[in-house]
Protein backbone atom coordinates (compact mmCIF):
# COMPACT_ATOMS: atom_id res chain seq x y z
CA UNK A 1 0.00 0.00 0.00
CA UNK A 2 0.93 3.61 -0.37
CA UNK A 3 0.58 4.60 3.28
CA UNK A 4 1.33 3.37 6.78
CA UNK A 5 -0.97 0.50 7.67
CA UNK A 6 -1.95 -0.38 11.24
CA UNK A 7 -3.93 -3.31 12.51
CA UNK A 8 -6.28 -3.91 14.11
CA UNK A 9 -8.07 -0.59 13.75
CA UNK A 10 -9.98 -1.28 16.96
CA UNK A 11 -9.25 -3.62 19.83
CA UNK A 12 -11.38 -4.23 22.88
CA UNK A 13 -9.97 -6.52 25.52
CA UNK A 14 -10.29 -7.34 29.17
CA UNK A 15 -7.96 -6.02 31.81
CA UNK A 16 -5.01 -8.33 32.32
CA UNK A 17 -4.91 -9.67 28.76
CA UNK A 18 -1.97 -9.17 26.41
CA UNK A 19 -2.38 -7.29 23.12
CA UNK A 20 -0.29 -6.96 19.98
CA UNK A 21 -0.52 -3.97 17.70
CA UNK A 22 0.96 -4.10 14.23
CA UNK A 23 2.43 -1.40 12.02
CA UNK A 24 3.39 -1.81 8.38
CA UNK A 25 5.42 1.27 7.32
CA UNK A 26 5.82 2.81 3.90
CA UNK A 27 8.22 0.75 1.83
CA UNK A 28 11.75 2.09 2.03
CA UNK A 29 11.20 4.09 5.20
CA UNK A 30 13.97 3.26 7.64
CA UNK A 31 12.60 5.13 10.65
CA UNK A 32 9.48 3.97 12.49
CA UNK A 33 7.82 5.61 15.49
CA UNK A 34 5.15 4.62 17.99
CA UNK A 35 3.02 7.22 19.77
CA UNK A 36 0.11 7.09 22.15
CA UNK A 37 -2.74 9.58 22.06
CA UNK A 38 -5.31 9.72 24.82
CA UNK A 39 -8.67 11.41 24.24
CA UNK A 40 -8.16 15.09 23.47
CA UNK A 41 -4.46 14.90 24.27
CA UNK A 42 -1.26 15.33 22.33
CA UNK A 43 1.06 12.72 20.90
CA UNK A 44 3.06 10.88 23.54
CA UNK A 45 6.31 9.40 22.18
CA UNK A 46 6.80 5.72 23.04
CA UNK A 47 9.70 4.34 20.99
CA UNK A 48 11.39 4.68 17.63
CA UNK A 49 13.33 2.35 15.37
CA UNK A 50 16.10 3.07 12.93
CA UNK A 51 16.17 -0.08 10.86
CA UNK A 52 15.68 -2.92 13.34
CA UNK A 53 17.38 -1.09 16.21
CA UNK A 54 15.57 0.92 18.86
CA UNK A 55 17.95 3.70 19.93
CA UNK A 56 15.36 5.34 22.16
CA UNK A 57 12.91 3.39 24.30
CA UNK A 58 12.59 6.14 26.85
CA UNK A 59 8.90 6.74 26.23
CA UNK A 60 7.70 3.24 27.05
CA UNK A 61 5.50 3.74 30.15
CA UNK A 62 6.45 0.53 31.93
CA UNK A 63 8.07 -2.84 31.43
CA UNK A 64 4.67 -4.17 30.31
CA UNK A 65 5.30 -2.39 27.01
CA UNK A 66 7.71 -3.75 24.42
CA UNK A 67 8.22 -3.38 20.69
CA UNK A 68 10.19 -5.01 17.97
CA UNK A 69 10.83 -4.50 14.31
CA UNK A 70 11.92 -7.22 11.96
CA UNK A 71 13.44 -7.04 8.50
CA UNK A 72 13.52 -3.27 8.72
CA UNK A 73 9.82 -3.29 8.00
CA UNK A 74 6.87 -4.42 10.12
CA UNK A 75 6.82 -3.48 13.78
CA UNK A 76 4.80 -4.92 16.64
CA UNK A 77 3.98 -3.12 19.88
CA UNK A 78 3.06 -5.53 22.67
CA UNK A 79 1.32 -4.60 25.88
CA UNK A 80 1.27 -7.28 28.55
CA UNK A 81 -1.23 -7.52 31.41
CA UNK A 82 -3.21 -4.56 30.09
CA UNK A 83 -4.58 -1.97 32.50
CA UNK A 84 -7.46 0.45 32.00
CA UNK A 85 -5.04 3.38 31.76
CA UNK A 86 -3.61 1.76 28.63
CA UNK A 87 -6.80 2.69 26.77
CA UNK A 88 -5.83 5.13 24.02
CA UNK A 89 -5.19 5.41 20.30
CA UNK A 90 -1.80 4.00 19.38
CA UNK A 91 -0.32 5.69 16.33
CA UNK A 92 2.54 4.51 14.19
CA UNK A 93 4.51 6.74 11.84
CA UNK A 94 7.34 6.14 9.43
CA UNK A 95 9.81 8.39 7.65
CA UNK A 96 12.51 7.99 5.06
CA UNK A 97 15.05 8.93 7.70
CA UNK A 98 14.96 10.29 11.23
CA UNK A 99 14.99 13.92 10.14
CA UNK A 100 12.26 13.72 7.53
CA UNK A 101 8.51 14.22 7.65
CA UNK A 102 6.61 11.50 9.46
CA UNK A 103 3.71 9.74 7.79
CA UNK A 104 1.12 8.46 10.21
CA UNK A 105 -1.13 5.45 10.09
CA UNK A 106 -4.78 5.65 11.11
CA UNK A 107 -3.99 4.18 14.50
CA UNK A 108 -5.32 1.38 16.67
CA UNK A 109 -8.01 2.37 19.15
CA UNK A 110 -7.41 0.22 22.22
CA UNK A 111 -10.11 -0.11 24.85
CA UNK A 112 -9.48 -2.00 28.08
CA UNK A 113 -12.61 -3.11 29.91
CA UNK B 1 11.01 18.62 27.37
CA UNK B 2 7.58 19.13 25.84
CA UNK B 3 7.21 22.34 23.78
CA UNK B 4 4.50 24.76 24.81
CA UNK B 5 1.90 25.73 22.24
CA UNK B 6 -0.28 28.80 22.38
CA UNK B 7 -3.08 29.50 22.17
CA UNK B 8 -4.74 26.23 23.23
CA UNK B 9 -7.72 26.99 21.02
CA UNK B 10 -8.80 29.60 18.53
CA UNK B 11 -12.04 30.23 16.67
CA UNK B 12 -12.02 32.11 13.39
CA UNK B 13 -14.41 33.16 10.71
CA UNK B 14 -13.54 32.10 7.19
CA UNK B 15 -11.03 34.51 5.71
CA UNK B 16 -9.46 35.57 9.01
CA UNK B 17 -5.82 35.05 9.96
CA UNK B 18 -4.30 33.16 12.87
CA UNK B 19 -0.89 32.59 14.44
CA UNK B 20 0.02 29.53 16.47
CA UNK B 21 3.18 29.60 18.57
CA UNK B 22 5.46 26.81 19.73
CA UNK B 23 8.15 27.46 22.35
CA UNK B 24 10.83 25.21 23.76
CA UNK B 25 13.15 25.50 26.74
CA UNK B 26 15.86 23.63 24.82
CA UNK B 27 17.97 24.54 21.81
CA UNK B 28 16.27 23.13 18.76
CA UNK B 29 17.53 21.42 15.63
CA UNK B 30 14.19 21.29 13.85
CA UNK B 31 10.49 21.99 14.25
CA UNK B 32 7.77 19.99 12.51
CA UNK B 33 4.15 21.08 12.11
CA UNK B 34 1.23 18.64 11.70
CA UNK B 35 -2.52 19.02 11.46
CA UNK B 36 -4.96 16.43 12.77
CA UNK B 37 -8.63 16.48 11.90
CA UNK B 38 -11.08 14.85 14.25
CA UNK B 39 -10.90 11.07 14.04
CA UNK B 40 -8.04 11.13 11.54
CA UNK B 41 -4.29 10.67 11.60
CA UNK B 42 -1.97 13.68 11.85
CA UNK B 43 -0.83 15.00 8.49
CA UNK B 44 2.54 16.59 7.88
CA UNK B 45 2.55 20.29 6.99
CA UNK B 46 6.18 21.40 7.04
CA UNK B 47 9.61 21.15 8.63
CA UNK B 48 11.80 24.04 9.66
CA UNK B 49 15.46 23.33 10.17
CA UNK B 50 18.02 25.24 12.16
CA UNK B 51 19.52 27.80 9.85
CA UNK B 52 16.70 27.36 7.36
CA UNK B 53 14.31 29.87 5.91
CA UNK B 54 10.65 30.51 6.45
CA UNK B 55 8.63 27.78 4.77
CA UNK B 56 5.31 28.05 3.01
CA UNK B 57 2.50 25.72 2.06
CA UNK B 58 -0.38 27.37 0.19
CA UNK B 59 -1.61 30.04 2.61
CA UNK B 60 0.08 28.38 5.57
CA UNK B 61 3.62 29.41 6.40
CA UNK B 62 5.93 29.16 9.36
CA UNK B 63 9.01 30.70 10.85
CA UNK B 64 11.71 29.40 13.18
CA UNK B 65 13.56 31.69 15.57
CA UNK B 66 16.52 29.65 16.79
CA UNK B 67 17.62 32.26 19.30
CA UNK B 68 14.24 32.37 20.97
CA UNK B 69 13.80 28.60 20.56
CA UNK B 70 10.39 29.06 19.07
CA UNK B 71 8.41 28.61 15.90
CA UNK B 72 5.22 30.23 14.67
CA UNK B 73 2.66 28.90 12.21
CA UNK B 74 0.80 31.52 10.17
CA UNK B 75 -2.57 30.78 8.60
CA UNK B 76 -3.80 33.52 6.31
CA UNK B 77 -7.25 33.91 4.79
CA UNK B 78 -8.36 30.78 6.62
CA UNK B 79 -10.60 28.25 4.92
CA UNK B 80 -13.10 25.84 6.46
CA UNK B 81 -10.68 23.01 5.63
CA UNK B 82 -8.09 24.48 7.98
CA UNK B 83 -10.10 23.37 11.00
CA UNK B 84 -8.33 20.79 13.12
CA UNK B 85 -5.73 20.49 15.85
CA UNK B 86 -2.26 21.73 15.02
CA UNK B 87 0.74 20.11 16.67
CA UNK B 88 4.34 21.22 16.67
CA UNK B 89 6.99 18.59 17.15
CA UNK B 90 10.49 19.60 18.17
CA UNK B 91 13.79 17.83 17.76
CA UNK B 92 16.44 19.13 20.11
CA UNK B 93 19.98 19.93 19.15
CA UNK B 94 21.41 16.95 21.01
CA UNK B 95 20.81 14.56 18.15
CA UNK B 96 17.88 12.83 19.82
CA UNK B 97 16.38 11.94 16.42
CA UNK B 98 12.91 11.93 17.90
CA UNK B 99 10.12 14.49 18.02
CA UNK B 100 8.51 15.73 21.20
CA UNK B 101 5.04 17.07 20.44
CA UNK B 102 3.21 19.92 22.07
CA UNK B 103 -0.32 19.47 23.40
CA UNK B 104 -1.82 21.00 20.28
CA UNK B 105 -3.85 24.03 19.28
CA UNK B 106 -7.44 23.44 18.27
CA UNK B 107 -8.43 25.67 15.37
CA UNK B 108 -12.07 26.06 14.38
CA UNK B 109 -12.96 27.97 11.23
CA UNK B 110 -16.62 28.92 10.93
CA UNK B 111 -18.45 30.14 7.81
Amino acid sequence: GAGVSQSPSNKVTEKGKDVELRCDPISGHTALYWYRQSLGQGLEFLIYFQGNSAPDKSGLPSDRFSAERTGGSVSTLTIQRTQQEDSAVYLCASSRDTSGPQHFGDGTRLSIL
Amino acid sequence: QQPVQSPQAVILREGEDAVINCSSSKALYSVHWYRQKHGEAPVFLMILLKGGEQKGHEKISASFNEKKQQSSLYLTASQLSYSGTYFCGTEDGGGSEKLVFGKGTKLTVNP
Side-chain angles (χ1 to χ4, degrees):
Chain A
V4 176
S5 177
Q6 291 188 247
S7 61
S9 54
N10 284 283
K11 177 73 176 178
V12 181
T13 192
E14 293 180 346
K15 177 182 170 182
K17 301 283 189 184
D18 298 351
V19 294
E20 278 191 0
L21 311 180
R22 176 188 168 105
C23 173
D24 204 336
I26 293 172
S27 178
H29 280 194
T30 61
L32 186 149
Y33 305 81
W34 284 99
Y35 298 93
R36 180 168 72 175
Q37 187 172 35
S38 301
L39 189 63
Q41 298 299 307
L43 300 161
E44 177 190 3
F45 169 81
L46 297 178
I47 186 171
Y48 90 94
F49 290 89
Q50 176 59 41
N52 291 334
S53 301
D56 193 334
K57 305 179 183 180
S58 63
L60 294 177
S62 74
D63 58 9
R64 296 187 294 106
F65 288 71
S66 62
E68 64 175 15
R69 187 180 186 193
T70 54
S73 180
V74 172
S75 175
T76 303
L77 177 69
T78 301
I79 309 173
Q80 296 179 309
R81 305 181 303 280
T82 51
Q83 303 294 313
Q84 286 187 331
E85 62 262 28
D86 299 335
S87 295
V89 175
Y90 289 81
L91 290 162
C92 173
S94 71
S95 62
R96 195 172 300 277
D97 54 54
T98 53
S99 61
Q102 296 185 15
H103 301 265
F104 285 81
D106 288 334
T108 293
R109 183 175 298 279
L110 177 65
S111 300
I112 310 299
L113 302 178
Chain B
Q1 194 80 12
Q2 186 177 39
V4 176
Q5 288 187 233
S6 63
Q8 290 184 321
V10 59
I11 300 174
L12 301 174
R13 287 216 176 272
E14 207 172 359
E16 292 182 336
D17 302 340
V19 180
I20 299 172
N21 298 304
C22 174
S23 296
S24 174
S25 59
K26 301 180 79 171
L28 299 176
Y29 173 73
S30 72
V31 179
H32 295 217
W33 285 96
Y34 293 79
R35 177 173 62 207
Q36 184 177 31
K37 292 182 180 288
H38 183 68
E40 300 181 7
V43 173
F44 170 76
L45 294 176
M46 64 190 74
I47 291 177
L48 297 104
L49 299 175
K50 182 179 177 180
E53 298 176 358
Q54 184 163 338
K55 298 288 188 182
H57 176 77
E58 297 178 342
K59 293 179 182 175
I60 301 175
S61 62
S63 63
F64 180 17
N65 187 321
E66 298 158 29
K67 230 176 189 180
K68 293 185 178 179
Q69 296 166 187
Q70 67 185 36
S71 176
S72 295
L73 186 72
Y74 306 95
L75 301 105
T76 57
S78 59
Q79 305 170 15
L80 297 177
S81 61
Y82 287 3
S83 292
T85 300
Y86 289 78
F87 294 98
C88 68
T90 57
E91 180 183 1
D92 67 41
S96 64
E97 296 187 327
K98 73 181 187 192
L99 293 181
V100 179
F101 285 91
K103 291 186 176 180
T105 295
K106 184 175 182 179
L107 177 74
T108 304
V109 181
N110 292 321

